[in-house]
């Protein structure tokens, strides 16, 4: 708890003794909605106190801190691991702490919030006034929300460092870009999966900028999986904020809702509620369940370019789903998105992409690579692995543009493993 490096990380976060903020309060509000608990906290802890940056469900007159020795948060700091106490008054780890009576804690679920260097800064927790269990889905959603808190802190710290050192801005931008993408894709059963993010040509620019292209692949509920491709308008810090909000909101909501149209609806609400930027976002979501013969899924889009399906014989089909793009400046409408079912069998593949590849062109603004050329290039890759396919697609687009990339591009391919 008194580790100098940890205390330095707490000070560097700049969060102690600061006012509540919508970004963290919104994540805590989502935690309450998911778990049904009565209180939610995001705390920053130094060597003597647990400061409540967020304290939903608490009377403001109660103050915004307590002694660190009285709070279960000190256990998170000491162990670096989550702590779930379904019956707090009987749990030997925390039953004797003063906070149990003072805060009326019947059940407590807390997760360590960490700095970019891995030091525990505090905790993200929910409190129920009665003893109760937390389901595996609720626990996983809380882990996701806690990672969002840690990511927000990391993003803020990185941005402060960027402003302090113009010389380091290019490397920082690329680091931030990488932090918005999964370090590696999960391995979905029966699938050969690959994804790439290809930066724009910034020759002659003052420095690299964070862009809004992102992708993700994760398990949702049971044997179901979700693939995500998104593109935020513009570049820079505002684009990065929207990207981070979109990625973590989709992860949290996709574990709660079967309908991808509902997930897009919830993302639109989050963009309006949190107002991190007025940038708009297009996104494509595919939820699917592998089976013995391939996979069966549903596709939803928020103004995103249509996905492409390459059949095992090389034929290519467009996968469309009606849906408007997402923007905090647009009202949330009733049922603005539709879902389209699809089926992939052995050797078939689904391509999700951003418009960086279809808008590839030469520096002198020659013709766009376009959807037709992309479909033809994809058709020519039948029999290729997922990684080989993406490499070939980019080679074709690069050849068309003379090696010039006017915009960043993200590509993800899900290929059903052929039968041997």
């Amino acid at each position: 708890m008194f580790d100098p490096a940890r205390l330095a990380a707490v000070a560097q976060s700049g969060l102690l003794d600061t006012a509540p903020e919508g970004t963290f309060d919104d994540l805590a509000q989502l935690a309450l909605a998911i778990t049904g608990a009565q209180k939610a906290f995001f705390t920053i802890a130094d060597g003597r106190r647990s400061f409540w940056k967020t304290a939903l469900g608490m009377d403001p007159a109660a103050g915004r801190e307590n002694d660190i020795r009285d709070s279960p948060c000190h256990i998170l700091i000491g162990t670096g691991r989550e702590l779930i106490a379904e019956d707090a008054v009987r749990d030997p780890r925390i039953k004797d702490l003063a906070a149990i009576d003072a805060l009326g804690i019947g059940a407590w679920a807390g997760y360590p919030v960490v700095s970019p260097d891995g030091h525990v800064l505090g905790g993200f927790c929910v409190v129920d006034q009665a003893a109760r269990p937390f389901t595996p889905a609720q626990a996983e959603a809380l882990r996701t929300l806690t990672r969002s808190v840690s990511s927000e802190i990391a993003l803020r710290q990185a941005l402060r460092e960027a402003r302090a050192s113009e010389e380091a801005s290019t490397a920082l931008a690329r680091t931030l870009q990488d932090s918005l993408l999964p370090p590696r894709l999960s391995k979905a059963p029966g699938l050969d999966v690959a994804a790439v993010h290809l930066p724009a040509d910034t020759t002659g620019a003052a420095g690299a900028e964070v862009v809004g292209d992102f992708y993700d692949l994760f398990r949702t509920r049971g044997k179901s999986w979700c693939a995500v491709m998104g593109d935020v308008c513009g570049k820079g810090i505002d684009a990065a904020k929207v990207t981070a909000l979109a990625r973590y909101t989709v992860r949290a909501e996709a574990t709660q809702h079967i309908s991808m149209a509902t997930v897009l609806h919830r993302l639109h609400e989050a963009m309006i509620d949190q107002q991190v930027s007025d940038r708009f976002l297009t996104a494509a979501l595919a939820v699917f369940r592998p089976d013995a013969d391939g996979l069966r899924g549903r596709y939803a889009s928020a103004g995103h370019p249509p996905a492409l399906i390459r059949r095992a014989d090389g034929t290519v089909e467009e996968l469309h789903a009606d849906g408007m793009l997402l923007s905090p400046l647009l009202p949330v409408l009733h049922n603005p998105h539709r879902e389209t079912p699809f089926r992939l069998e052995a050797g078939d593949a689904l391509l999700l992409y951003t418009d960086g590849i279809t808008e590839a062109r030469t520096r002198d603004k020659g013709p766009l690579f376009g959807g037709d050329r992309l479909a033809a290039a994809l058709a020519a890759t039948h029999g290729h692995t997922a990684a080989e396919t993406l490499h070939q697609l980019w080679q074709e687009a690069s050849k068309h543009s003379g090696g010039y990339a006017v915009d960043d591009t993200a590509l993800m391919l899900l290929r059903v493993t052929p039968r041997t």
Side-chain angles (χ1 to χ4, degrees), residues 73-401:
C73 190
H74 81 273
I75 300 176
L76 302 182
I77 296 172
T79 64
R81 297 192 297 271
E82 63 190 56
L83 189 154
I84 298 178
E86 298 183 343
D87 190 346
V89 298
R90 290 183 173 82
D91 193 305
R93 298 169 296 179
I94 65 172
K95 65 184 179 66
D96 296 323
L97 298 177
I100 302 304
D101 288 332
L103 300 181
I105 301 176
W108 194 85
Y111 300 77
V113 173
V114 298
S115 71
D117 295 327
H119 297 293
V120 180
L121 302 176
F124 185 82
C125 66
V126 294
V127 171
D128 204 299
Q129 61 190 14
R132 45 114 0 136
F134 294 93
T135 68
Q138 290 172 340
E140 182 58 33
L142 290 173
R143 292 187 196 102
T144 298
L145 294 173
T146 304
R147 287 194 295 270
S148 298
V149 173
S150 298
S151 295
E152 174 67 15
I153 294 171
L155 181 60
R156 293 181 180 197
Q157 181 173 324
L159 296 180
R160 287 196 298 270
E161 293 171 354
R163 296 187 186 103
S165 176
E166 182 65 27
E167 189 176 310
S169 64
T170 298
L172 175 62
R174 191 49 54 193
T175 299
L176 280 175
Q177 185 69 58
D178 292 343
S179 74
L180 299 174
L181 301 172
R184 66 173 181 270
L185 289 178
S186 302
K187 294 183 178 179
L191 294 183
D192 170 24
V193 180
V196 293
H197 178 264
L198 303 158
D201 187 341
T202 56
T203 303
E209 286 190 279
V210 186
V211 298
D213 291 5
F214 68 96
Y215 57 81
D216 205 355
L217 176 65
F218 56 94
R219 188 189 296 273
T220 57
R221 299 149 59 111
K223 296 181 180 180
S224 293
W225 289 73
C226 182
V228 184
M229 181 65 67
D231 189 358
V232 179
C233 171
K235 302 180 181 181
I237 301 309
D238 280 355
K241 289 181 179 179
V242 177
T243 298
L245 170 66
R247 184 175 172 218
Y248 291 112
T249 299
V250 168
R251 272 198 167 239
E253 295 293 343
T255 62
Q256 303 300 310
H257 304 287
I258 296 175
S259 167
M260 291 299 99
T262 300
V263 173
L264 289 174
H265 181 82
R266 294 286 292 164
L267 173 56
H268 195 181
E269 290 181 327
M271 292 174 68
I272 292 174
D273 290 343
Q274 299 196 28
Q275 292 288 328
V276 297
S277 169
D278 60 3
R279 302 293 179 86
F280 68 78
L281 161 72
T282 70
L285 308 181
V287 63
F288 60 90
R289 180 185 290 261
D291 56 35
D293 299 316
L295 64 85
R296 189 178 303 277
R298 300 186 313 279
Y299 174 76
S301 172
H304 202 75
L308 296 178
I309 293 177
R310 184 198 66 198
R311 298 299 178 187
D313 62 3
T315 57
V316 173
E317 308 165 10
E318 284 192 345
L319 185 58
H320 291 271
D322 294 335
M324 70 176 191
L325 56 79
L326 307 180
S327 167
L329 304 179
L330 296 175
V332 176
L333 302 178
H334 181 64
N335 293 330
H337 301 99
R338 297 289 185 268
E339 295 184 338
T340 301
F342 66 94
R343 171 77 185 171
L344 299 184
E345 298 182 349
D348 293 347
L350 175 69
L351 175 69
L352 302 177
Y353 59 94
T354 59
D355 59 11
I357 190 165
T358 52
E359 294 182 359
R361 64 198 308 178
T362 58
R363 286 184 184 274
D364 58 2
K365 301 188 184 305
L368 300 177
F369 186 60
D372 290 343
R373 288 188 180 89
L374 176 60
L378 181 62
T381 62
H382 72 281
H384 289 40
T385 66
E388 291 169 347
T389 297
L390 296 189
H391 176 75
Q392 185 63 28
L393 294 180
W394 183 244
Q395 289 292 102
E396 291 297 319
S398 183
K399 184 190 304 181
H400 174 82
S401 66

